[in-house]
Amino acid sequence: MKAFAALYLRLDATTSSNAKLEALRDYFASAPAEDAAWAVYFLSGGRPRQLVPTRLLRELTTELAGLPEWLFEESYQAVGDLAETISLVLPETHPGNDEGLAHWVEAHLLPLRGLAPERIRERLPPLWAQLDRASLMLCLKLITGSFRVGVSKLLVTRALAQLAGLDSKRVAQRLVGYTDIGHRPTAQAYHKLIAAESADEHRQRGGQPYPFFLAHALQAPTEQFDALLGPPSDWQVEWKWDGIRAQVVKREGTLWVWSRGEELVTERFPELHSLAQSLPDGVVLDGEILVWKPGASSDALAVQPFALLQQRLGRKTLGKKLLADAPVILQAYDLLEWQGEDWRNRPQHERRRQLQWLVDNHSLGPVRLSPLLHGDSWEALAEQREQSRSLGVEGLMLKQREALYGVGRTKDMGLWWKWKIDPFSVDAVLIYAQRGHGRRASLYSDYTFAVWNAPAGTPERALVPFAKAYSGLSDEEMRKVDAIIRKTTVETFGPVRSVTPTLVFELGFEGIALSKRHKSGIAVRFPRMLRWRLDKPVEEADDLATLQALLA
């Protein structure tokens, strides 16, 4: 546990990718295989369910530390992280435990799940007493399911590849499914990650998907595209769909559906089950799962808002009415495997041509082929992009015709760009604030925004909350806003402060929908602060009518 805690501190202390890569290599080079297996799991995003209720942890901590509850809460608000707060307020011990990460997780932590509160109260104090502060904080992060550190799965992949002398794409393929909640990391599993390549390894077995290839955001002016990208003829252009990225795998008579998060979601989409009979064996499709309801006027308007798809994702059971109200299809746009052969190293245009043949020559029911767009110039394509909102899409995807299918958001095998339309935006008023986390734990950086419920001049006009946002401001702006929040606080509700409305911000968001759960009747998707409107008084902020107009 000490070695993994030291790695955590080393990773947390730098923003340099090269320094993090070096730290990962150093750890994996010296860690026992069983510890390295769990380290890969946690660092790649795997998180076991919460092992102990946080309320019980708070109560036990205040008892052991001899603190009143209010003082613990004040400490938590100052620190901003529950695990770190507990590790700081517990009495100092003289630890001597050198057991590794795997032993701690398997022998001490996982057995806590489901224990009665009184048994947990008996077990935790002697366990905590064996750990130094850094190891204790890490232990608590694992217990609460809040382990996070600034390392991407791609960086872990690179570290393992360099250590083992392998192609990083091969390691990425082996890592698919490694962080599934049902997977138990073992020394054997770790050795497989870094083993030398075998002759038959390139042929996939079972339902394992391929690592997803991701696009980069394109934010340059259209007039610069010729210099940056070359002519449009070098690119395959499609709509950017707003759904769930998925791979459909058909092998040995069985169908699997995987989300981009490497979660097996076959049972969530019964509409796709017919592909077990109609899709040929040895085929892997990449595409987008969408709610699709062909309209009376045009098939182009058949894609439905993501909010409707989200209703299905939040349900444990899928009733007949929900399936009828929100039927899904797969909008296919790439072919990764054909007749059992990995096609990712073939050019984009060749994969597309074979995908077209597959769709044309097989009755695939819920599969549609993502249409290609054409234009003699980038300006002509920009005009088509302007139709995105009316068609229910997010903009355009630009894929190099000669691009191979890479791993993650890389550029070594070709390029995909997402050329999204500009976000919706409104001017809103900050009314509530809460402290952030991590390096922003001492600042009020998480905000609730409101708009007016009626136009200016209306009697009893009031502000109605509609969105929360925490990103978009510079550090300097955040400090200035924090100072204003402290001076204008009206009331506190636990960690939340209500403030006198004095600050107006332009908020941007990707989508908007009606919502019965929100007081405003409206929900927005991915809200963020675009700029601080120092030039605009609170009275001139937007009202609900502005949001309702955007719904159209």
Side-chain angles (χ1 to χ4, degrees):
M1 182 67 96
K2 284 183 179 179
F4 191 56
L7 172 64
Y8 176 87
L9 294 178
R10 191 172 167 187
L11 294 171
D12 194 48
T14 181
T15 58
S16 165
S17 294
N18 288 334
K20 290 180 178 181
L21 188 62
E22 182 182 4
L24 291 169
R25 285 200 309 265
D26 290 347
Y27 175 83
F28 290 128
S30 60
E34 61 272 16
D35 290 349
W38 276 104
V40 171
Y41 177 82
F42 291 126
L43 293 167
S44 299
R47 293 185 186 90
R49 298 183 186 93
Q50 184 177 349
L51 303 175
V52 178
T54 55
R55 184 65 203 171
L56 182 56
L57 291 175
R58 290 167 182 258
E59 292 173 354
L60 185 56
T61 300
T62 54
E63 292 171 13
L64 294 174
L67 294 177
E69 185 175 345
W70 70 265
L71 184 53
F72 177 83
E73 289 301 323
E74 285 293 321
S75 302
Y76 173 44
Q77 292 306 316
V79 174
D81 181 272
L82 182 62
E84 186 175 359
T85 304
I86 294 175
S87 69
L88 290 171
V89 302
L90 284 175
E92 188 94 41
T93 61
H94 301 284
N97 190 300
D98 290 320
E99 293 168 337
L101 175 63
H103 183 83
W104 266 91
V105 172
E106 296 170 10
H108 298 317
L109 303 187
L110 293 182
L112 294 172
R113 182 181 294 126
L115 284 184
E118 56 270 19
R119 295 291 306 280
I120 293 176
R121 286 176 174 274
E122 292 172 4
R123 288 196 179 193
L124 283 182
L127 285 178
W128 289 347
Q130 300 177 49
L131 299 171
D132 57 35
R133 289 208 187 278
S135 299
L136 176 58
M137 180 180 69
L138 183 63
C139 174
L140 287 158
K141 286 183 176 291
L142 299 180
I143 287 175
T144 58
S146 63
F147 176 86
R148 290 177 184 82
V149 68
V151 170
S152 66
K153 188 174 183 179
L154 183 60
L155 204 61
V156 176
T157 301
R158 288 175 57 195
L160 292 173
Q162 290 181 12
L163 182 71
L166 294 168
D167 186 329
S168 60
K169 293 186 289 294
R170 177 52 50 194
V171 177
Q173 182 63 59
R174 294 173 180 179
L175 270 172
V176 172
Y178 192 88
T179 56
D180 184 80
I181 198 165
H183 178 253
R184 175 66 70 90
T186 63
Q188 182 182 17
Y190 175 71
H191 283 307
K192 286 182 178 179
L193 289 178
I194 59 174
E197 287 196 48
S198 60
D200 64 344
E201 188 177 355
H202 295 267
R203 188 175 181 86
Q204 293 294 92
R205 294 182 175 84
Q208 189 183 35
Y210 294 98
F212 284 84
F213 188 30
L214 306 179
H216 295 264
L218 183 60
Q219 297 175 323
T222 309
E223 54 268 23
Q224 296 180 11
F225 278 24
D226 283 311
L228 289 172
L229 307 177
S233 57
D234 290 346
W235 297 82
Q236 177 179 302
V237 184
E238 306 169 38
W239 295 117
K240 186 186 184 306
W241 304 101
D242 185 17
I244 296 174
R245 180 85 179 272
Q247 285 183 31
V248 172
V249 179
K250 171 70 185 303
R251 299 190 187 105
E252 301 167 4
T254 304
L255 186 83
W256 293 267
V257 181
W258 294 85
S259 72
R260 177 183 149 183
E262 296 181 8
E263 179 185 3
L264 191 59
V265 294
T266 315
E267 298 307 314
R268 303 299 300 167
F269 301 105
E271 296 95 330
L272 304 182
H273 291 180
S274 63
L275 295 174
Q277 284 72 48
S278 59
L279 195 65
D281 258 1
V283 168
V284 177
L285 302 177
D286 185 12
E288 203 92 5
I289 295 175
L290 305 166
V291 174
W292 195 266
K293 299 169 73 174
S297 59
S298 170
D299 229 21
L301 303 178
V303 59
Q304 300 299 300
F306 182 81
L308 192 55
L309 180 58
Q310 205 164 27
Q311 291 179 17
R312 287 187 54 154
L313 302 179
R315 302 288 182 89
K316 292 183 179 179
T317 57
L318 300 174
K320 290 184 179 180
K321 185 177 186 307
L322 184 60
L323 291 173
D325 290 344
V328 302
I329 62 151
L330 178 77
Q331 192 76 256
Y333 44 66
D334 216 328
L335 180 69
L336 311 186
E337 184 176 315
W338 174 247
Q339 296 181 338
E341 181 186 351
D342 183 351
W343 271 46
R344 292 177 300 160
N345 284 332
R346 295 181 182 233
Q348 181 82 48
H349 65 86
E350 185 178 346
R351 302 197 308 271
R352 171 73 191 201
R353 185 169 59 248
Q354 188 62 31
L355 176 61
Q356 177 83 56
W357 184 92
L358 172 65
V359 173
D360 289 346
N361 290 274
H362 290 78
S363 179
L364 299 182
V367 174
R368 300 179 66 90
L369 183 65
S370 181
L372 299 182
L373 305 180
H374 303 280
D376 295 333
S377 66
W378 291 114
E379 288 74 17
L381 288 167
E383 289 181 13
Q384 296 181 60
R385 173 175 168 264
E386 292 303 313
Q387 305 173 41
S388 296
R389 280 215 171 90
S390 64
L391 298 177
V393 297
E394 295 184 309
L396 301 184
M397 289 291 301
L398 312 179
K399 302 176 180 179
Q400 277 182 327
R401 282 178 46 79
E402 298 298 327
L404 311 183
Y405 191 95
V407 173
R409 195 167 279 109
T410 57
K411 297 181 179 180
D412 60 329
M413 297 181 68
L415 270 175
W416 285 7
W417 291 105
K418 49 185 177 183
W419 187 21
K420 298 176 71 172
I421 51 176
D422 295 332
F424 291 110
S425 67
V426 295
D427 291 329
V429 182
L430 191 156
I431 59 171
Y432 301 117
Q434 188 172 348
R435 279 195 177 102
H437 298 276
R439 66 185 182 88
R440 288 183 170 174
S442 61
L443 296 173
Y444 283 92
S445 60
D446 296 10
Y447 311 133
T448 299
F449 292 94
V451 292
W452 293 104
N453 64 352
T458 305
E460 299 182 5
R461 190 181 188 220
L463 289 166
V464 181
F466 82 101
K468 294 183 178 180
Y470 56 86
S471 63
L473 296 185
S474 67
D475 289 344
E476 182 181 356
E477 287 176 320
M478 194 74 72
R479 286 191 291 270
K480 290 179 179 178
V481 173
D482 176 81
I484 295 171
I485 287 169
R486 294 174 189 273
K487 291 177 182 177
T488 59
T489 295
V490 175
E491 198 172 357
T492 59
F493 310 91
V496 179
R497 291 192 180 203
S498 86
V499 298
T500 302
T502 61
L503 303 175
V504 178
F505 292 83
E506 182 182 2
L507 292 192
F509 43 93
E510 302 298 324
I512 183 169
L514 292 172
S515 172
K516 296 179 180 179
R517 296 186 302 160
H518 294 78
K519 189 175 180 179
S520 64
I522 288 172
V524 297
R525 192 169 176 220
F526 301 142
R528 60 192 182 279
M529 291 168 278
L530 299 180
R531 58 175 172 147
W532 184 359
R533 293 300 306 268
L534 293 167
D535 59 320
K536 197 160 201 175
V538 168
E539 292 74 20
E540 294 181 13
D542 286 317
D543 55 34
L544 280 176
T546 305
L547 290 172
Q548 289 161 353
L550 294 178
L551 285 167

